[in-house]
Amino acid sequence: MIVVKVGGSAGIDYDAVCADIARLWKEGRRLVLVHGGSGETNRVAEALGHPPRFVTSPSGYTSRFTDRQTLEIFEMVYCGKMNKGIVERLQRLGVNAVGLSGLDGRIFEGKHKDSVRAVEDGKVKILRGDHTGTVEKVNTGLIELLLQGGYLPVLTPPAASYEGVAINVDGDRASAALAVGLKAQALLLLSNVPGLLRHFPDEASLIREIAAANVEDYLEFAQDRMKKKVLGAAEAVAGGVGRVIFGDARAGEPVSAALNGQGTVVS
Ligand code: ADP
């Protein structure tokens, strides 16, 4: 079993990712696909006159402040355009894909965090009305049912809170929880960079290997959202996933390349 997470940043070649996945699936690989949609969500939010608001926590993590209207735009893009676009590509390639959000069947479940501490103008402020959280539980039973039925699950945030409220969760960490829950051999985190770069954005500074025990030491090289990938990788390997690979989804055969060890391999 492998869990493939493909991001939502500019430059990702979804046609290449889906073609590669379809080929591997037809060869008999068991896999689950998780995707993001941040780039497109930002564009749609701007067009709808509700531009994204990113906040930085005192410890340096950047996240999207998700008020109710942002959550609804987020769902339109992630669960609608992005999810159905990927399902359609896979269906055209002859793969019976089923697209679901973490809310459906409580595939991803976690605690709702209503307020967030953010640094703005050099001061720490508390912002309320946030619809975010972190995945703590995964309904692997539903995923197994789909896989046993021959369906390829295509999953996306949001998750369900314990009260049943939709919450925006980080896709990389949700994928890590899923990979742990499914006892996956590998988790692939594919994005628009070749892997973790020691000197971002210098692609020649690609870090090729990280020992599982040391993965948190590499947080210092990751800025912004890359930090979540490193955290997700740490959580996955700590939870028993054999390998986590940060790979490039911009062209070629992104899934096969990552499985062949191209990118940053954490093991
Ligand atoms: P996605 O939505 O595709 O999962 P993110 O935008 O969340 O991807 O994270 C990938 C981004 O992280 C890259 O596009 C890059 O701009 C940024 N980044 C920050 N630090 C690094 C680093 N050290 N190595 C690689 N990418 C980095």
Side-chain angles (χ1 to χ4, degrees), residues 5-10 12 14 36-39 78 170 172 190-200 207 221-229:
K5 191 277 176 163
V6 59
S9 309
I12 289 175
Y14 293 100
S38 57
Y78 278 68
D170 178 68
D172 295 311
L190 308 179
S191 185
N192 64 348
V193 280
L196 181 65
L197 306 174
R198 191 172 288 271
H199 308 290
F200 175 75
I207 297 167
F221 301 115
Q223 291 139 34
D224 310 320
R225 291 168 13 216
M226 197 70 197
K227 280 187 195 286
K228 297 277 175 73
K229 293 190 197 297

Side-chain angles (χ1 to χ4, degrees), residues 55-133:
V55 295
T56 306
S57 72
S59 48
Y61 289 92
T62 304
S63 61
R64 183 190 297 273
F65 183 73
T66 311
D67 59 14
R68 188 72 209 181
Q69 203 181 341
T70 300
L71 178 76
E72 288 171 6
I73 296 169
F74 178 95
E75 289 177 333
M76 279 167 53
V77 177
Y78 278 68
C79 313
K81 184 172 182 182
M82 298 299 295
N83 190 267
K84 297 316 148 198
I86 291 172
V87 169
E88 184 190 10
R89 281 179 180 88
L90 289 167
Q91 289 291 352
R92 277 204 210 150
L93 293 162
V95 175
N96 206 355
V98 171
L100 293 171
S101 80
L103 202 50
D104 297 286
R106 294 183 177 269
I107 290 172
F108 293 135
E109 208 175 6
K111 213 179 277 155
H112 178 185
K113 207 161 143 262
D114 172 69
S115 62
V116 62
R117 272 157 42 92
V119 183
E120 283 186 345
D121 308 323
K123 285 187 233 140
V124 179
K125 297 183 183 169
I126 302 211
L127 306 175
R128 299 197 189 278
D130 200 11
H131 283 266
T132 57

